[in-house]
Amino acid sequence: MDSTLQSGPDAAVKAKKSKATVLGSQRPSWIGKVKKDRWLYVLLLPGLIYFLVFKYLPMWGVLIAFQNFQPFVGFWNSEWVGLENFRNFFANPDFVRLLRNTFILAVYDLVFFFPAPIIVALLLNEIRVNVIKRFIQTMVYVPHFISMVIVASMTYVFLTTQGGVLNEAVFQITGRRIDFLADPDWFRPLIILQIMWKETGWGTIIFLAALASVDVEQYEAAVVDGANRFQRLWHVTLPAISSVIVILLILRLGNFLDNGFEQIFLMTNSLNRTVADVFDTYVYFVGITQGAFSYSTAIGLFKSIVGIVLIYGSNWLAKRFGQEGLY
Amino acid sequence: MGSNHDSLGEKVFDGFNYLFLSIFAVITVLPFIYIFAGSFATEAELSERSFFLIPRDFSISAYQYIFSSNTIFRSIGVSIYITVVGTITNLAFTLTMAYALSRRDLLGRNLIMNLVIFSMLFSGGMIPTYLVVKELGLLNSYGALILPGAISAFNLIIIKNFFQQLPPGLEESARIDGCTDLGVLWRIVLPLSMPVIATFGLFYAVGHWNNFFSALLYLNDHTKWPLQVMLREIVMLSQLAIGDINNMDPNYVKPPEQSVKMAVIVTGTIPILLVYPLLQRHFAKGVLLGSIKG
Amino acid sequence: MNVKVLGVKRKIALLCAVVMMLSVLAACSGGNGGSNDPAPQEPANTGGQSAGEGNANAAQAEPLELTIMVPAFSTELPDGSSPVLQELEKYTNTDITMQFVPNSSYGDKMNITLASGQLPHLMVVDRNSASYINAARTGAFWEIGPYLQDYPNLSQANPIILNNSSVDGKTYGIYRGRTLGRMGVSINKDWMEKVGLSEPKTIDEFYNLLKAFKEQDPDGNGKDDTYGTVITKYAGPWDIMQVWFGAPNKWGEGADGKLVPTHMTPEYKEALKFFKKLYDEGLVNSDFAVMDPAVWLDPIVNGQAGVMVDVADAARRIDGRMQEKAEREEPYIDVFQAPVGPKGHRDMPTSGYANVIAISKSAVKTEEELKRVLEFLDKLGDVEMQMLLGYGIEGRHYEMVDGYIKPLTTPEDVALVKELEGMNQMLTFIGPVTPQLEMTVINEKVMQVQTANEEIVVSNPAEPLVSEVYAQKGQQLDNIIADARIKYIVGQIDDNGLDQAIALWRSSGGDDYIAEINKLYEEAK
């Protein structure tokens, strides 16, 4: 390194520069970074391999959407049909109705169901007797384990006009029975109420974990500052879990057009089908029951593209508003 | 958080809060109590009374029936094995990857994050995944129920986010003390993340416990079936309309009794329900550690 | 701190994973085992192989290896130690691996199995499923039609059912026979006596009976709390009753010899008017459109309703449930044939079979092997095998009393029932008639009704035809008609609305469907 032999401020600057360029040309900066983080890459590797093997190796399945795939014939020998499946889907006279039903239900879900676990978690957090808090927590998460088939059966038992327990109560009060199960106007509220009943308690767990990570000192400081409980909730608790809320919201948007097939399938009948038909049930009818793999894959692909637009769009928005976002 | 200087408003709020949560808890738990009560009731009572919390005629015949063969014990054993081994695998894969991705300056991080997000939305589907599992030689083994779901992208992203929120100063000081990244993860990050680990351990465990579909796809040998396959099948069979049972030999047209269905649900649910109260301790512990770290 | 050790382990794990991945990549680039994959990895070729080499005697001594995939309707299933399975292997000189698949997931499992290219030797498949039809057309299964005549039992297969279960006129699977005239009307016997009515011989009498069950207080409790018949979300009873009125069974031949779908016949509308009357007068449960089929029997068992239109053997089940409540000598339920309608005595049949058993070409490679497998299937028709797989081992699972079978198993003895459970799924019931279960009064009645039904069932002329239009749009088309029928019954639409629904059906692909079916029908003639 001859530069060290030279003297004077000019030379020093020059030397620094040349040293940097020499280093840069021989060993690019990223190698140094990788070397420094080598253990992180080791940690990353099993997960990365998992994604490549189990998620990306089977990814050719997406291409089925452009084929007329037959399971026995296999991927390589099935006929390629270009965009025909998509054309059939969009040209389907039911497309607009399916999109509308799916969209409305998804919005209902987002507006009514998504906030429910957050609210319940915050309310639980305000309970100071630990035994009661744990007891309630354990009770509200029980319905998560009851399968949809059973939930649908019990809904029938409670709501039927032919002696359903709840409908009899309605009859005692109002003097008439409400056809909850057949009336199309009741379909969406019913779906949302079922899902709220079944999953709210389960959904609280993740927020409770976030709340458990909130620094106790912050609360103490707020108390010293004279904040009452509502102020503490607003200024300490909510900000602490806001990033989890935002992430869950973004991830939910990625599955925006998924309505939960089994539930809707079970609650659909001849009298409410006009509002109950959604993409997921449609895919079942044309795909699973009739073996139209390619067609149902095409519909899935359409849903995924909508999902990816929403996920990246909302992630971008979240970042603009100063949130962490997905990454 | 002393309770002695609560304002009137706060007391009213407390009252409503208790009331609301109690009602909510009762509504959520009542149907399960009905199922529990129903599992001890007779068939006649179940068809007559649409809802009850205490059976009129107490009977344990449903439990005698399901526990009379060794099938249920074997399948409970299988379920526990899959759940325990599966959850440990899940946590090992997810926590390591999440920690690496939580480091903002990691080169290639964005690329991998996009890879993860993309895989959440686009999937090859059932048949291609099955073929990969088959080529790996995992068919008919419990590995097929564990490895294809080793990481949930959803959980990974949230755990990564939790890790990002840990105070960076701690890691810095640990590194100055000579810890490698592995040391930091093991000694600092994981102990501080117990609530998160408990939560996602629970999510994974419940996922394994409730999963019947992979078992159906990948296990050809019925003696390897976990409990949920049995549970699912009994529930689905009791749901069949009579005219749909063309497949059954006419001499054996008898779906499972309602009480048996309920007893199977109870047997399949109680063990996993017990996991949560056990884990709740760790939530509290997380807070404690959080205050120490200061 | 053993970071170093951990690191080495990780490196090894990494190496393994990379190797693993490469092997997968390599395996995938060769295709995913299509129809022309010559080498499935399962060792499938044992007995048959040596038979092909000429040493016939040795081959006979060597048991034939068979994997059989069947649907399961129970979770207590026989394993390798089951004496029934061992007995079967001994009788047929085979080494059998049973692959049970829960019924509710059978379709998925079948698709996966087809896609994997590793088919079991024998599998039960739904003849109407698109995957099966396509697999059969592309050579997944042996066409066995020409071979059947060589086997004593299989040669007795019913040609009509063989035709119904064929694909493009070719037999790719042996049907599993079922009672053709299975339907019947189950009625509460006590109630009939109470209101002083006997078997409803005509539709008018059937209506009067329902009316009496509603209005004449058949349970004698002084309250207006009974009705006629129970129907659930499962619309089978409507389908059955419209055939009584003279509507065809799905498709019927019009005056010009062309096939017409049932909902475009005048008889269909007559039937719907009758259904609407039943609903308006409260003779059927008001929540039929949403009722959970799981609780179908409950109103009859609990004495709220008195009639069920479904399979005749439902009578046995309802009676069984009522006997559990209060046991008595005489049955509670009686069962009858369909009432006579304006177009004569007609009833809906089943298709006469429930799925077919197909032989895969990838596991059974040579004709010699095929013949051994067919021999196995043929032997399943022998009296010994029908008895073994249906009822178990004499002295262990059943005993013979006066020429009748008397089961020794009770539902509570799971360990014993388990040895036998699900084995009857491989039976085709093609072969000699076997001894019967001991006849109870109600069983006898069910048998009578089902035997008499064979004279009056109306077959569906389009049954063997495979329609492309239906494969694509069938479910949507069916929904249009099914929904319109229910809406008409509950009064949400009138005749005009019904016509509109049919017009919608036609414009949504129904016309193409009619044209295609008629074309196929002509070709098949």
Side-chain angles (χ1 to χ4, degrees), chain C residues 132-361:
Chain C
Y132 164 66
I133 291 172
N134 278 304
R137 282 176 174 167
T138 46
F141 304 108
W142 285 93
E143 198 212 324
I144 50 175
Y147 297 95
L148 295 182
Q149 60 194 29
D150 303 336
Y151 299 88
N153 289 323
L154 294 180
S155 58
Q156 295 171 36
N158 179 328
I160 295 170
I161 303 180
L162 272 182
N163 185 39
N164 281 350
S165 62
S166 66
V167 173
D168 307 329
K170 292 177 184 151
T171 303
Y172 292 104
I174 298 176
Y175 67 82
R176 303 190 306 166
R178 291 293 183 268
T179 315
L180 194 66
R182 198 175 164 193
M183 305 308 167
V185 183
S186 306
I187 306 179
N188 185 321
K189 221 173 164 177
D190 296 359
W191 285 19
M192 280 168 76
E193 276 164 30
K194 182 81 194 336
V195 299
L197 290 172
S198 53
E199 174 185 357
K201 296 265 192 201
T202 64
I203 291 182
D204 284 340
E205 285 178 28
F206 177 71
Y207 167 76
N208 289 338
L209 182 92
L210 296 181
K211 191 97 175 156
F213 279 5
K214 164 92 180 155
E215 289 168 356
Q216 294 179 25
D217 190 25
D219 59 353
N221 67 355
K223 284 187 236 159
D224 176 21
D225 58 356
T226 55
Y227 57 94
T229 182
V230 199
I231 295 180
T232 68
K233 209 169 154 177
Y234 165 69
W238 303 126
D239 294 335
I240 296 169
M241 286 193 284
Q242 72 203 22
V243 173
W244 300 353
F245 278 84
N249 170 11
K250 296 194 183 79
W251 291 90
E253 230 172 64
D256 55 354
K258 294 237 182 226
L259 292 185
V260 185
T262 182
H263 54 265
M264 285 168 62
T265 60
E267 291 86 357
Y268 177 82
K269 283 201 175 160
E270 285 308 305
L272 258 60
K273 283 196 186 113
F274 177 75
F275 299 163
K276 184 165 171 48
K277 191 160 86 168
L278 296 187
Y279 178 80
D280 289 344
E281 296 178 9
L283 307 184
V284 61
N285 48 318
S286 66
D287 65 347
F288 75 89
V290 301
M291 184 173 177
D292 184 356
V295 294
W296 194 356
L297 303 186
D298 288 2
I300 304 178
V301 174
N302 298 328
Q304 293 160 290
V307 178
M308 176 156 172
V309 179
D310 194 44
V311 294
D313 36 290
R316 186 164 55 211
R317 271 182 62 192
I318 305 170
D319 187 59
R321 289 273 301 275
M322 294 173 89
Q323 296 285 359
E324 269 172 39
K325 272 176 90 171
E327 207 169 329
R328 73 177 200 191
E329 193 73 19
E330 197 192 350
Y332 286 94
I333 300 291
D334 207 344
V335 58
F336 306 101
Q337 274 192 284
V340 179
K343 300 278 151 131
H345 203 186
R346 299 157 58 91
D347 202 358
M348 177 100 137
T350 68
S351 46
Y353 69 98
N355 302 341
V356 299
I357 302 178
I359 306 170
S360 86
K361 277 190 177 166

Side-chain angles (χ1 to χ4, degrees), chain C residues 57-184:
Chain C
N57 272 342
Q60 282 306 321
E62 184 118 342
L64 174 70
E65 211 167 292
L66 280 180
T67 305
I68 309 176
M69 178 168 146
V70 298
F73 288 86
S74 166
T75 52
E76 301 285 352
L77 298 161
D79 48 33
S81 68
S82 156
V84 174
L85 183 62
Q86 286 167 358
E87 192 69 23
L88 170 70
E89 289 175 334
K90 214 168 85 191
Y91 186 88
T92 56
N93 187 29
T94 47
D95 177 10
I96 293 173
T97 311
M98 292 301 292
Q99 193 181 324
F100 290 104
V101 179
N103 181 55
S104 55
S105 318
Y106 200 84
D108 279 328
K109 186 77 178 188
M110 190 181 85
N111 288 333
I112 281 288
T113 308
L114 287 176
S116 76
Q118 274 182 20
L119 278 65
H121 298 79
L122 293 170
M123 66 197 286
V124 172
V125 286
D126 176 4
R127 131 76 167 84
N128 294 316
S129 100
S131 327
Y132 164 66
I133 291 172
N134 278 304
R137 282 176 174 167
T138 46
F141 304 108
W142 285 93
E143 198 212 324
I144 50 175
Y147 297 95
L148 295 182
Q149 60 194 29
D150 303 336
Y151 299 88
N153 289 323
L154 294 180
S155 58
Q156 295 171 36
N158 179 328
I160 295 170
I161 303 180
L162 272 182
N163 185 39
N164 281 350
S165 62
S166 66
V167 173
D168 307 329
K170 292 177 184 151
T171 303
Y172 292 104
I174 298 176
Y175 67 82
R176 303 190 306 166
R178 291 293 183 268
T179 315
L180 194 66
R182 198 175 164 193
M183 305 308 167

Side-chain angles (χ1 to χ4, degrees), chain B residues 70-195:
Chain B
N70 57 5
T71 315
I72 192 143
F73 294 105
R74 191 178 58 207
S75 62
I76 288 177
V78 170
S79 279
I80 291 175
Y81 173 81
I82 293 169
T83 304
V84 171
V85 178
T87 307
I88 292 170
T89 313
N90 289 137
L91 287 177
F93 272 76
T94 314
L95 291 172
T96 49
M97 191 177 186
Y99 176 64
L101 289 174
S102 76
R103 297 280 293 273
R104 289 190 180 80
D105 53 345
L106 189 74
L107 207 70
R109 171 177 175 272
N110 277 5
L111 176 73
I112 295 170
M113 278 308 295
N114 280 314
L115 219 61
V116 169
I117 294 169
F118 189 82
S119 80
M120 222 169 24
L121 290 156
F122 294 89
S123 99
M126 188 172 75
I127 290 175
T129 311
Y130 179 88
L131 294 175
V132 169
V133 171
K134 185 189 124 191
E135 294 301 334
L136 290 175
L138 291 173
L139 280 192
N140 233 1
S141 81
Y142 293 131
L145 309 191
I146 292 170
L147 288 177
I151 298 180
S152 140
F154 182 90
N155 293 355
L156 176 77
I157 291 172
I158 299 172
I159 294 177
K160 183 214 65 137
N161 181 263
F162 271 110
F163 284 165
Q164 275 173 357
Q165 305 212 320
L166 293 172
L170 280 170
E171 298 178 28
E172 290 303 321
S173 54
R175 212 162 281 125
I176 289 164
D177 291 347
C179 275
T180 61
D181 286 315
L182 291 180
V184 174
L185 173 64
W186 186 252
R187 291 191 184 169
I188 311 287
V189 175
L190 292 186
L192 284 179
S193 307
M194 282 319 281

